[in-house]
């Protein structure tokens, strides 16, 4: 089951997977970071669709088509803004992973890729975020056979090192 997890460095907009996850905001109307990159690569039709969706609460996920992206679907999820850890941030981040995977499976996706949700502008500590991302994903894969691969896409060396460290800690406790 852990063989279904892959960690790579790169740009999520280039990936040939069934669904990529977007670290969006509550409006779903685009923004900076990975959200901006996904909207730019998908083209304006993506915004037309997300405008109709009408927003998304923190921790939940909404699916749209991928338009000009290689990915068929974009799963938009809204991570928590880090406010020191006392505002339910960890639970909300775990919800993002679980709800995104559920939305991807509902669309028939077999391969899904995640960015490091909340770890950019939203300020979530990277190592803690990587632990939550992986534990939640492993737990999901244990109960759901239909996914073949989940890719964690790291943007930069630090993120890659952190994800690999956390992953090796989980496979050899
Ligand atoms: N591919 C993969 N990862 C990326 C890419 C990319 N092309 N670009 C950035 N990252 P952020 P957040 C990484 O700030 O913290 C937006 O304005 C980045 O290095 O994109 O959840 C939204 O509209 C970081 O590790 O998302 C929201 O307002 C990770 O993606 C707000 O930012 C997430 O960083 C959401 O903040």
């Amino acid at each position: 089951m852990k063989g279904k997890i892959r960690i790579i460095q790169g740009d999520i907009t280039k990936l040939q997977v069934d669904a990529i996850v977007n670290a969006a905001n509550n409006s779903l109307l685009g923004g900076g970071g990975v959200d901006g990159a996904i909207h730019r690569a998908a083209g304006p039709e993506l915004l037309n669709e997300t405008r109709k969706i009408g927003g998304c609460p923190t921790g939940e996920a909404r699916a749209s088509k991928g338009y000009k992206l290689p990915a068929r679907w974009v799963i938009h999820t809204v991570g928590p803004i880090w406010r020191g850890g006392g505002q339910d941030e960890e639970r909300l981040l775990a919800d993002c992973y679980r709800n995104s995977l559920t939305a991807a499976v509902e669309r028939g996706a077999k391969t899904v890729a995640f960015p490091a949700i909340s770890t950019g502008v939203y300020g979530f500590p990277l190592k803690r975020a990587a632990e939550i991302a992986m534990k939640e994903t492993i737990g999901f894969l244990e109960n759901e056979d239909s996914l073949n691969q989940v890719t964690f896409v790291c943007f930069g060396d630090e993120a890659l090192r952190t994800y690999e460290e956390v992953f090796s800690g989980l496979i050899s406790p």
Side-chain angles (χ1 to χ4, degrees), residues 143-164:
N143 295 307
E144 174 61 64
D145 273 347
S146 64
L147 284 173
N148 294 336
Q149 189 170 59
V150 176
T151 304
F152 292 106
V153 185
C154 300
F155 207 59
D157 288 339
E158 194 205 345
L160 183 67
R161 262 197 315 274
T162 305
Y163 266 75
E164 283 176 341

Side-chain angles (χ1 to χ4, degrees), residues 1-172:
M1 187 274 311
K2 282 171 187 150
K4 292 184 172 179
I5 291 179
R6 175 170 79 136
I7 298 167
I8 63 166
Q9 187 170 350
D11 177 353
I12 201 167
T13 65
K14 309 277 191 238
L15 289 196
Q16 307 261 359
V17 291
D18 297 331
I20 63 170
V21 177
N22 182 17
N25 59 58
N26 295 119
S27 76
L28 299 189
L29 298 179
V34 71
D35 193 8
I38 287 173
H39 275 271
R40 273 194 302 279
E45 284 172 296
L46 178 60
L47 183 59
N48 282 341
E49 184 174 352
T50 58
R51 198 175 276 130
K52 289 182 196 134
I53 296 172
C56 178
T58 305
E60 294 191 17
R62 302 285 184 267
S64 75
K65 288 189 263 179
Y67 299 100
K68 290 185 181 149
L69 289 162
R72 178 153 185 224
W73 306 106
V74 179
I75 310 298
H76 307 265
T77 190
V78 184
I81 298 172
W82 181 258
R83 294 194 169 92
Q87 308 282 316
D88 240 5
E89 293 97 325
E90 299 199 335
R91 183 186 61 79
L92 288 165
L93 188 62
D95 289 350
C96 287
Y97 282 91
R98 203 177 50 258
N99 289 328
S100 297
L101 290 165
T102 302
V105 167
E106 277 169 9
R107 299 291 163 138
K110 304 275 178 215
T111 53
V112 181
F114 280 100
I117 300 162
S118 281
T119 67
V121 180
Y122 281 2
F124 206 108
L126 183 60
K127 181 153 187 250
R128 190 67 197 113
E131 285 164 359
I132 292 167
M134 263 176 241
K135 280 192 185 152
E136 206 57 40
T137 300
I138 289 168
F140 188 91
L141 291 172
E142 277 167 356
N143 295 307
E144 174 61 64
D145 273 347
S146 64
L147 284 173
N148 294 336
Q149 189 170 59
V150 176
T151 304
F152 292 106
V153 185
C154 300
F155 207 59
D157 288 339
E158 194 205 345
L160 183 67
R161 262 197 315 274
T162 305
Y163 266 75
E164 283 176 341
E165 235 173 73
V166 167
F167 188 57
S168 52
L170 287 175
I171 50 178
S172 50

